[in-house]
Amino acid sequence: MDLRESPEDQDRTIVAFYKAHQKNWAGPLNCRLEGDTAIGEGVTRFFFSICMQKLRSGFSLNCGNANITRLFEGEPDYLVPSSSSLLVDSDLFQMAGRMLGHCFLHGGPGFVGMSQAILHVLLGGSPDVATVTIKDCPDIDIRETITLVIGRTTRQVKQLRKGLKETHLWHLMTERPDVVPLIFPREKDASLTSEAILHAITWPGATDDDSEDEWPVETTSRTTGYLREFIENVSSNDRKELLRFWTGWEVLPRELIVAMTSSKYPTAATCIETLRLPTH
């Protein structure tokens, strides 16, 4: 992916990659960001994070009469596949299934907020007994006919299932239903708390092992205190943005490392999950 290109061209690259046939989705993935010096595992994490964000918020592609093409519509925890026949005919939901499976197999974030009614049908449940609520209908004008929601997404769900099967994740989902909430978490389960992040952090001591410089305890305490205060007071989404800068994606690792630096701005070594804070 070339970061020097326009958002539309970057999204076309992602779509082209996941629409390609006969790929080994379970195999190792080596990513390179053209126009950026970053290398290693952090780049791969960044790529998967971008893919999952695009699935939820839309691609910068004009597939009709809009500059943003959304594959899923609706409110949080009630996202349903778009009813656009153009997207279905373009096999974009099969592509979405590949993206979901590929990301999960590489330890990436899940797809947050899918409608439980859609998941019920995706996993083989009968549409006739799916529990559909008014929020499962993204079109306010036709919420009087919410029972049509499942029927309008049959082809989309079949494509999603096909894409998941191609990544070999489908067998795991059917044999181990307990993993489904990890692949398709609810909003509340995907929230990132300050306690979770702070518990994972290894704070620097008086001496930064990554640098030859020695920092006074007062300087270290003041600088790390700013970070702690930020983590405790911002929203879950802001914490996820911090984690993306820190590690490449919003998945919380077992350990986050904080180090000190004499540089002007904060920097991150995403491959080793290290955030370097300026001391000034």
Side-chain angles (χ1 to χ4, degrees), residues 181-193:
L182 301 178
I183 305 170
F184 297 98
R186 305 295 296 270
E187 285 281 345
K188 63 180 180 62
D189 298 324
S191 64
L192 192 58
T193 66

Side-chain angles (χ1 to χ4, degrees), residues 22-55:
Q22 297 180 342
K23 285 186 178 292
N24 178 16
W25 302 110
L29 177 67
N30 296 315
C31 293
R32 184 176 69 251
L33 297 177
E34 300 291 345
D36 195 290
T37 58
I39 59 174
E41 185 65 26
V43 174
T44 303
R45 296 182 193 137
F46 171 80
F47 173 76
F48 281 125
S49 180
I50 289 295
C51 288
M52 299 310 293
Q53 289 182 62
K54 294 295 182 181
L55 277 184

